Each structure stands twice: as C-alpha cells, then as structure tokens.
C-alpha cells in the first residue's frame, strides 16, 4: 500500500485483534460458537480485500495463551474451526497468492493440527502476495520468554535488540504499522508487545463479525492522517 512513500510512511503491516464474536452471538440469542463461525467469515472477507488492496502483511489474533481459560467446549470449537479452515481453504490461499505462517507456541496444540499447520506453511511458502500470520496459542509475554530462553541456551553473554528480534516468532517480518481492535476495547491484551512499540492504534465499537472493507478503509485512512515521529521531531 502506497509503495511510492518512504518506509516510515507506508502501511505494509496491519495486525488485528478480532474481538466481539461472543457478544455478537449473544445479541442474537445464540451460543458463542455461532459468533466464532460468523467471525471466521469476516476474517475470510478481510483476507480478500486486504489482498486486493495490496497489503503486504496481516497478523490476526485467533487464539491467545489466555483463551485456554474458556469453557472446554468453546476451546475445542475454536480449534476445530481453525483446523477445518486450514484443511478446506488451500484453494483460496493458492488463488489469492497468500502465504500463511503461524506465530505462538504451537507445541501445546493437537499433533494433527500442528501437522496441518506445517503443511500449509510449506504449501504456501512461495506465494508472494499477502503474508498472513495467524497467532494461535500466542501471547506477547510468552513469545518474549521463549526468545530469552533460546538466547540463554545459546550461551550469549551480551544481547542486542536484533538478537531478541531474531528469536521472536515474527522474525523477518516488519513490525505492524497499524493495529486494529474491534468491539470497543482499547487494550493490547498481550498481542505483539515487542513489535507494537511504534504501531498506530485504531479502535471501533463494531463487533468482529460485522467488520467489513469500509471499516478497514476507514482505519487505513486514519493511519495516513497520523504523524509518526518515532520519538523524534519532524
Ligand atoms: C474474540 O471474540 C475472538 C476470538 C477469541 C477468536 C477469533 C477467531 C476467529 C474469528 C477465527 C479465526 C480463524 C482463522 C482460521 C483465521 P470473543 O469471543 O472474545 O468475543 P466477546 O469479547 O464478545 O466474548
């Protein structure tokens, strides 16, 4: 997006906290899982129009390290929804040249789901359109803890910011320029804590299943009105 601009004025990477599926279902007298099913439809629409608009990176918070506290039934519904989506939608990713990668501690997930994830990552690795990072069993603190553990294990004595970055799940991906959160909440909730140091934030009261391209465009337009100074003076 806006490739003719300087790197610090571009919107290359958008991260989204897709919140409000449960409330959306409740408003309709339905169970929470129904909200997640509709939420996934909104996510698929987002992949479509974000690709069309030429976005380079999109990171989606699909399941946090804290989400295990939810009822067993909801957790397994979400895991199955993700698994089924990955199994069914390869054609969609191929057609849209979308590369998928996963961030989070995947070792706690079912082996069959881990296998599906590895296979999708392999099969989409060469696509050069939008890169989508799906955050599953992801927590910013846990990601940092794992990175520090790897640095300790490597025996390094002096650590630079670049050393830490290289051990994060997001290594090699630029930091998000813009973070969008739906459903009226205005907090980071353990998402991309390191990477969001200079991200712009945009919130909307809309619940995730109702989020559409007009909201996305409004968020991007707001981003371009911001003055990013990175602590300096312009
Ligand atoms: C937050 O709403 C939403 C989630 C915890 C799950 C989001 C996951 C999806 C939309 C599916 C994505 C899957 C793929 C494969 C892209 P909430 O349940 O916290 O809503 P509430 O705050 O209203 O209760």
């Amino acid at each position: 997006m806006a490739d003719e601009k300087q790197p610090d004025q571009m919107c290359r990477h958008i991260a989204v906290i897709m919140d409000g599926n449960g409330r959306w279902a409740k408003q309709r007298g339905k169970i929470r899982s129904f909200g997640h099913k509709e939420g996934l439809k909104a996510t698929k629409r987002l992949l479509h129009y974000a690709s069309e608009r030429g976005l380079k990176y999109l990171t989606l918070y699909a399941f946090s390290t804290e989400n295990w506290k939810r009822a067993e039934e909801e957790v397994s519904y979400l895991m199955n929804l993700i698994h089924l989506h990955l199994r069914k939608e390869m054609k969609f990713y191929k057609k849209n040249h979308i590369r998928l990668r996963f961030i989070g501690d995947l070792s706690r997930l079912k082996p069959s789901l881990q296998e599906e994830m590895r296979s999708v990552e392999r099969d989409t690795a060469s696509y050069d359109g939008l890169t989508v990072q799906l955050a599953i069993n992801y927590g910013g603190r846990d990601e940092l803890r794992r990175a520090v553990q790897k640095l300790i294990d490597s025996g390094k004595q002096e650590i630079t910011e670049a050393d830490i970055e290289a051990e994060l799940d997001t290594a090699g991906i630029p930091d998000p320029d813009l973070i969008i959160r739906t459903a009226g909440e205005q907090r980071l909730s353990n998402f991309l804590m390191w990477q969001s140091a200079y991200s712009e934030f945009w919130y909307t009261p809309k619940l995730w299943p109702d989020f559409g391209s007009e909201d996305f465009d409004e968020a991007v337009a707001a981003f371009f009105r911001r003055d990013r100074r990175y602590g300096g003076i312009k």
Side-chain angles (χ1 to χ4, degrees):
M1 268 179 180
D3 277 342
E4 73 282 2
K5 299 199 177 188
Q6 296 298 311
D8 68 346
Q9 295 172 325
M10 294 195 314
C11 194
R12 284 187 301 175
H13 183 177
I14 297 181
V16 187
I17 303 175
M18 309 177 287
D19 200 6
N21 293 346
R23 274 164 279 178
W24 190 92
K26 197 168 172 212
Q27 283 174 1
R28 286 158 181 80
K30 307 264 192 192
I31 56 166
R32 298 179 56 81
S33 306
F34 183 68
H36 294 314
K37 191 169 154 211
E38 288 301 310
L40 177 57
K41 289 185 192 164
T43 306
K44 224 182 126 183
R45 289 194 297 270
L46 165 66
L47 297 182
H48 226 271
Y49 55 75
S51 290
E52 266 178 2
R53 284 156 174 70
L55 184 71
K56 290 308 294 174
Y57 303 96
L58 179 67
T59 301
L60 303 171
Y61 209 2
F63 194 92
S64 76
T65 45
E66 288 69 39
N67 285 153
W68 297 105
K69 291 186 223 150
R70 296 187 176 201
E72 219 278 319
E73 195 190 349
E74 183 175 349
V75 169
S76 52
Y77 183 87
L78 270 170
M79 289 297 162
N80 284 332
L81 190 70
I82 294 167
H83 201 157
L84 209 68
H85 171 84
L86 296 178
R87 206 181 293 151
K88 265 186 14 193
E89 299 289 350
M90 260 314 290
K91 248 199 230 154
F92 169 82
Y93 287 103
K94 189 173 181 185
K95 185 163 166 244
N96 293 286
H97 305 279
I98 296 173
R99 173 168 71 127
L100 258 191
R101 58 198 306 273
F102 297 92
I103 60 171
D105 181 0
L106 307 184
S107 67
R108 190 171 165 190
L109 307 178
K110 258 208 206 134
S112 58
L113 178 54
Q114 291 183 43
E115 185 43 51
E116 193 74 48
M117 288 167 157
R118 278 192 290 268
S119 126
V120 170
E121 273 186 339
R122 239 185 352 255
D123 293 348
T124 62
S126 64
Y127 297 155
D128 59 358
L130 174 68
T131 292
V132 174
Q133 298 192 106
L134 269 190
I136 299 177
N137 191 26
Y138 175 89
R141 288 183 175 177
D142 183 62
E143 180 190 33
L144 268 173
R145 179 195 61 74
R146 288 184 284 108
V148 169
Q149 186 65 58
K150 281 184 239 165
L151 289 167
I152 292 171
D153 295 346
S154 76
K156 250 195 162 85
Q157 295 295 311
E158 292 232 359
I159 289 170
T160 64
E161 290 189 6
D163 291 329
I164 295 175
E165 256 161 26
E167 297 299 348
L168 295 177
D169 299 342
T170 53
I173 304 289
D175 289 343
D177 300 297
L178 173 64
I179 297 181
I180 294 175
R181 182 165 188 159
T182 58
E185 315 295 351
Q186 304 193 358
R187 55 178 169 266
L188 192 56
S189 299
N190 206 6
F191 191 40
L192 302 176
M193 281 172 41
W194 174 280
Q195 301 87 337
S196 63
Y198 285 100
S199 304
E200 298 292 330
F201 284 80
W202 188 85
Y203 307 98
T204 173
K206 269 205 189 169
L207 305 177
W208 180 248
D210 293 328
F211 188 89
S213 59
E214 66 288 359
D215 304 299
F216 180 86
D217 290 340
E218 197 182 321
V220 172
F223 170 87
F224 283 116
R225 287 194 298 271
R226 308 263 176 98
D227 183 17
R228 301 180 87 190
R229 290 189 299 275
Y230 297 92
I233 298 168
K234 274 192 184 157

